[in-house]
Amino acid sequence: MEELGSLAVWLGAAWLSLVFALIVLPSALGVSLGISEAYMWVLVKTLEWATIRIEKGVKKPQPQMLKIPAANGIIERDETPMEKEIAGLHRMEFRFSDIFYFCRKGFEAIVEDEVTQRFSSEELVSWNLLTRTNVNFHYVSLRLTVVWVIGVMVRYCFLLPLRFTLAAIGITSMIVGTTVVGQLPNGSLKNYLSEVVHLTCSRILVRALSGTIHYHNKENKPQKGGICVANHTSPIDAIILTNDGCYAMVGQVHGGLMGVIQRATVKACPHVWFERSEIKDRHLVTKRLREHVADKNKLPILIFPEGTCINNTSVMMFKKGSFEIGGTIYPVAIKYDPQFGDAFWNSSKYNIVSYLLRIMTSWAIVCHVWYMPPMVRKEGEDAVQFANRVRSAIARQGGLTELPWDGGLKRAKVKDSFKEEQQKNYSKMLVRNGSQGNLPAGTESD
């Protein structure tokens, strides 16, 4: 037993030594030994081979198996604008068949609306050897199945322990480092060491995800005293951004491990954490954020205005509160590559532990980050219009679909005001296309 214990200690020490020498230390110094690049090269070649095998294995080509719309669509919709279609229905006399258009639109909305599908993982064009990423995959060949089994062993027996070790090192370093730095008096030295700790730990955590991040237009990176707003796909969005710069986080105070991290980091960095009772006080939140932005020596605030995670295909309504604060807005577009792993967190289906397990057993996290030119509120522009303008810019840059709906619909019912607005739009289209002119004499349209 003593020999086995000694062997276990020796193996553990050797494992940690290799992790520190080959991953942690290079990450802390901001250098790469080429291991990640070699891994990604092998991974890309393997997935390309798997795609070819799948295409050859399908005796009768089925386009729907190999090419699936990014939005998980199961309905082939007519892209003709609604107003144009209604105009085509207009005749001098009413026909019973005229109602079929509205019936079809109603059935389409019931079977597959454009909102709720944004809260489920996007489907892939081709299988990436992960069991959870293509519902249309069927058995193709023994060789491909063997490769999949080997992949499962690599992901669960090697990558998962390695990533768990790196995550533990990164989180522990974050807590210890910020706690120590937090004891220093306020000043330039404390700010410098705080940024070093945050950057170093974020780089280690990105390595824990086998992350490959491509940053574009770095000349537009958020500056101190500004507000960074980005689309929201996953809790790791914050890690992706802090890997390239430091930000002041905004959020609700949590318990457990997250609470420990929050209490430690706020000592070294001016994060803005709110108690549950305070987060509902809109005026208090706005006041504290304005005070932060007014100090041009403080780090830029990082905010995700959607308020919930969307599945990497769309950008939904931005809450206007972030755009009422004032100051300069620095938009950032984040787009993940789903071929290597699904970064989207469906919080209504998976808890945070299950989500992290899925992330750490994926092949890798690959994403692109675009820093966009700063934007300010125009004269005569209200907060809602400003928010919509920023959202449109992010959607265009990231190649995402822009939707006007509130992400809160993930857990809440549609408000009556939204229904009434759609009803008004229908009536306006009908009246505009001649319905009013067909009313009997002496009547008025409502």
Side-chain angles (χ1 to χ4, degrees):
M1 292 298 292
E2 292 182 1
E3 293 180 356
L4 289 176
S6 300
L7 179 61
V9 172
W10 184 84
L11 290 175
W15 171 261
L16 288 176
S17 298
L18 287 174
V19 170
F20 268 97
L22 299 179
I23 302 178
V24 175
L25 187 58
S27 299
L29 298 176
V31 299
S32 174
L33 300 180
I35 299 176
S36 297
E37 290 78 4
Y39 169 70
M40 291 302 301
W41 183 84
V42 172
L43 182 57
V44 169
K45 294 299 182 182
T46 303
L47 295 179
E48 289 177 351
W49 173 85
T51 301
I52 294 174
R53 293 296 302 178
I54 292 173
E55 292 174 346
K56 290 182 177 180
V58 180
K59 296 181 181 179
K60 296 182 179 180
Q62 301 176 12
Q64 67 271 19
M65 175 179 174
L66 299 177
K67 187 175 181 180
I68 302 174
N72 295 346
I74 61 176
I75 294 178
E76 185 175 350
R77 298 177 185 270
D78 188 348
E79 298 299 330
T80 305
M82 185 184 303
E83 189 169 2
K84 187 175 181 180
E85 289 196 54
I86 293 178
L89 297 176
H90 172 59
R91 305 179 185 87
M92 293 301 295
E93 71 282 350
F94 170 78
R95 293 183 183 178
F96 187 74
S97 60
D98 291 348
I99 68 172
F100 290 163
Y101 169 78
F102 296 98
C103 292
R104 175 168 61 86
K105 287 295 183 181
F107 285 133
E108 287 179 356
I110 293 173
V111 174
E112 181 189 51
D113 65 89
E114 65 178 4
V115 178
T116 55
Q117 61 180 302
R118 311 299 173 174
F119 304 137
S120 59
S121 298
E122 60 179 317
E123 197 64 44
L124 297 182
V125 172
S126 181
W127 189 41
N128 63 355
L129 302 180
L130 295 174
T131 56
R132 52 184 177 266
T133 51
N134 197 307
V135 297
N136 289 329
F137 171 75
H138 300 286
Y139 174 82
V140 174
S141 68
L142 177 62
R143 186 181 301 179
L144 190 63
T145 302
V146 170
V147 172
W148 173 76
V149 171
I150 294 174
V152 171
M153 296 177 63
V154 169
R155 290 187 291 112
Y156 282 87
C157 299
F158 176 70
L159 292 179
L160 179 58
L162 174 61
R163 292 167 177 173
F164 182 82
T165 302
L166 289 172
I169 293 173
I171 293 173
T172 303
S173 301
M174 178 74 76
I175 295 173
V176 174
T178 53
T179 300
V180 172
V181 172
Q183 307 305 314
L184 299 176
N186 294 331
S188 57
L189 177 62
K190 180 178 180 179
N191 294 336
Y192 171 76
L193 293 178
S194 175
E195 292 185 14
V196 169
V197 171
H198 280 83
L199 283 173
T200 301
C201 296
S202 296
R203 289 168 180 167
I204 296 173
L205 291 174
V206 167
R207 292 290 196 279
L209 303 172
S210 296
T212 300
I213 321 299
H214 304 281
Y215 298 97
H216 307 277
N217 307 325
K218 288 193 173 186
E219 67 275 10
N220 296 325
K221 286 178 62 175
Q223 302 298 315
K224 291 184 176 180
I227 303 172
C228 174
V229 298
N231 57 300
H232 199 23
T233 302
S234 162
I236 66 174
D237 292 340
I239 300 175
I240 298 298
L241 292 177
T242 55
N243 180 62
D244 191 48
C246 291
Y247 298 88
M249 306 294 177
V250 178
Q252 181 178 306
V253 174
H254 293 276
L257 178 60
M258 182 60 71
V260 174
I261 297 174
Q262 287 180 321
R263 289 190 293 273
T265 55
V266 77
K267 296 177 182 178
C269 184
H271 299 299
V272 184
W273 306 127
F274 296 96
E275 296 290 345
R276 183 180 297 273
S277 57
E278 296 177 332
I279 201 70
K280 296 180 180 179
D281 190 340
R282 180 178 170 185
H283 297 289
L284 176 61
V285 172
T286 302
K287 179 176 179 293
R288 290 186 59 183
L289 294 180
R290 280 177 176 165
E291 291 175 352
H292 183 103
V293 173
D295 189 344
K296 300 304 178 182
N297 293 319
K298 288 187 176 181
L299 295 174
I301 295 176
L302 176 59
I303 299 178
F304 300 104
E306 289 169 295
T308 190
C309 295
I310 311 300
N311 74 347
N312 196 43
T313 65
S314 312
V315 181
M316 301 190 78
M317 185 182 76
F318 279 6
K319 303 293 194 305
K320 67 176 182 178
S322 307
F323 302 88
E324 294 176 327
I325 302 171
T328 304
I329 298 292
Y330 293 87
V332 175
I334 305 175
K335 176 68 174 179
Y336 292 90
D337 189 339
Q339 180 183 7
F340 305 99
D342 182 18
F344 169 61
W345 181 31
N346 187 352
S347 56
S348 60
K349 185 176 181 180
Y350 302 104
N351 58 34
I352 188 64
V353 175
S354 300
Y355 168 75
L356 292 177
L357 179 62
R358 290 167 60 87
I359 286 291
M360 289 191 172
T361 53
S362 297
W363 292 119
I365 295 298
V366 179
C367 81
H368 291 265
V369 175
W370 289 274
Y371 297 113
M372 302 170 63
M375 302 175 69
V376 294
R377 192 166 164 179
K378 295 180 179 179
E379 185 177 353
E381 187 178 44
D382 61 28
V384 174
Q385 293 171 333
F386 187 25
N388 290 338
R389 184 160 60 90
V390 174
R391 182 189 63 187
S392 298
I394 291 176
R396 286 194 302 270
Q397 181 64 77
L400 303 167
T401 302
E402 184 181 0
L403 295 175
W405 298 97
D406 187 355
L409 293 174
K410 180 189 291 187
R411 298 181 180 84
K413 294 182 178 180
V414 179
K415 295 180 180 179
D416 291 336
S417 58
F418 288 167
K419 297 179 183 178
E420 293 172 359
E421 184 178 353
Q422 294 302 311
Q423 292 169 350
K424 289 179 181 178
N425 290 337
Y426 274 121
S427 64
K428 288 179 181 178
M429 291 179 190
L430 291 172
V431 172
R432 189 181 302 122
N433 285 291
S435 297
Q436 187 173 7
N438 294 332
L439 291 174
T443 62
E444 296 181 357
S445 64
D446 185 7

